[in-house]
Amino acid sequence: PEFPAFREFTSTIVLKKDELGLLSGSTGRSIWRQLPAMLVKHKESSAGAQGPLTLRHNFNSEFLEIWIGALLTDKAKIENFVESRYTVHRALQDEFGRLAFEAGVSYADTVCSSSLLFAVGQYYDRLSAENAPKETARKHYWTRVEQGVHLLFEAASKLVDPDKFSESEWGKWIFKCALDAYEQTCPKLTPRQLEAYSWGLRFLSLKKNKKNTKSKSKK
């Protein structure tokens, strides 16, 4: 029987359009970005949304090894398979640690959508070019971010304040990945390209320098 008649004890329950359902696997969204939903032991406000029942046990070790996998199907036909293994610090098993990790994922999402993609758009608008390669920039960005996910685990385990993510190693890595993705998709070989590159770079740097600008204004 299917959910909700039957609950597989390693599955994650999430709220989808005001209804409870199983968290699905995807090749377009890395598993670590959905990890916070899997670490929820119980959430009253979401009417039963919670991670696997197996994680409700009280584990005594400082770290917990978690394997996550999913079969991707289409009309009962298996088309792909995704899996990952993570070492989760005890702090992430508690509410504050989980929320810190969730905030770190949200920070990376925001830098991508509100800073990187906007900067790429500004670059190509400056050149009066259509069809800015935003999807290419997005893929390059997340591919690079993947290589530094351990920094997010460290930040979350230390309960780094979300307001200070930009100053953390995770925040610095995120900005470096955004800059790299911008450079890969916005060439500066000609004078016009160089001018457009400098123009778009201002918007990419705005989020990183916003706090410093405020401090100077107060002084």
Side-chain angles (χ1 to χ4, degrees), residues 31-202:
I31 293 178
W32 64 269
R33 294 168 64 186
Q34 303 180 78
L35 189 59
M38 304 175 197
L39 296 177
V40 176
K41 294 183 179 180
H42 190 64
K43 198 171 185 179
E44 295 291 345
S45 60
S46 295
Q50 57 185 286
L53 296 175
T54 51
L55 296 184
R56 298 183 68 175
H57 291 287
N58 292 320
F59 297 96
N60 298 320
S61 59
E62 184 179 5
F63 294 95
L64 182 66
E65 292 285 341
I66 298 180
W67 178 89
I68 304 167
L71 295 175
L72 307 184
T73 63
D74 181 20
K75 297 180 181 180
K77 179 182 178 181
I78 299 177
E79 294 191 336
N80 211 329
F81 177 74
V82 293
E83 66 170 332
S84 287
R85 184 185 299 273
Y86 300 105
T87 301
V88 180
H89 191 273
R90 172 182 286 277
L92 272 69
Q93 300 173 46
D94 297 327
E95 186 70 1
F96 287 112
R98 183 186 66 78
L99 290 175
F101 191 94
E102 187 173 17
V105 175
S106 179
Y107 179 81
D109 281 327
T110 300
V111 170
C112 179
S113 60
S114 300
S115 187
L116 171 61
L117 299 186
F118 185 74
V120 172
Q122 288 295 312
Y123 170 91
Y124 283 90
D125 284 346
R126 198 73 171 179
L127 294 175
S128 299
E130 298 180 356
N131 302 321
K134 293 185 178 181
E135 188 58 31
T136 300
R138 187 200 306 275
K139 290 180 179 179
H140 187 89
Y141 170 78
W142 286 114
T143 299
R144 286 279 288 156
V145 169
E146 287 276 352
Q147 301 170 24
V149 174
H150 64 282
L151 298 174
L152 173 56
F153 278 91
E154 292 175 5
S157 64
K158 296 177 182 177
L159 302 180
V160 173
D161 189 327
D163 292 334
K164 298 181 179 180
F165 266 135
S166 60
E167 303 171 4
S168 68
E169 292 303 316
W170 171 244
K172 294 176 182 177
W173 173 250
I174 288 299
F175 183 77
K176 182 178 180 180
C177 293
L179 180 60
D180 185 65
Y182 179 75
E183 292 182 342
Q184 290 294 323
T185 51
C186 300
K188 49 182 186 296
L189 302 177
T190 67
R192 284 193 67 219
Q193 289 180 341
L194 183 59
E195 180 187 7
Y197 176 89
S198 300
W199 174 259
L201 190 62
R202 295 169 56 202

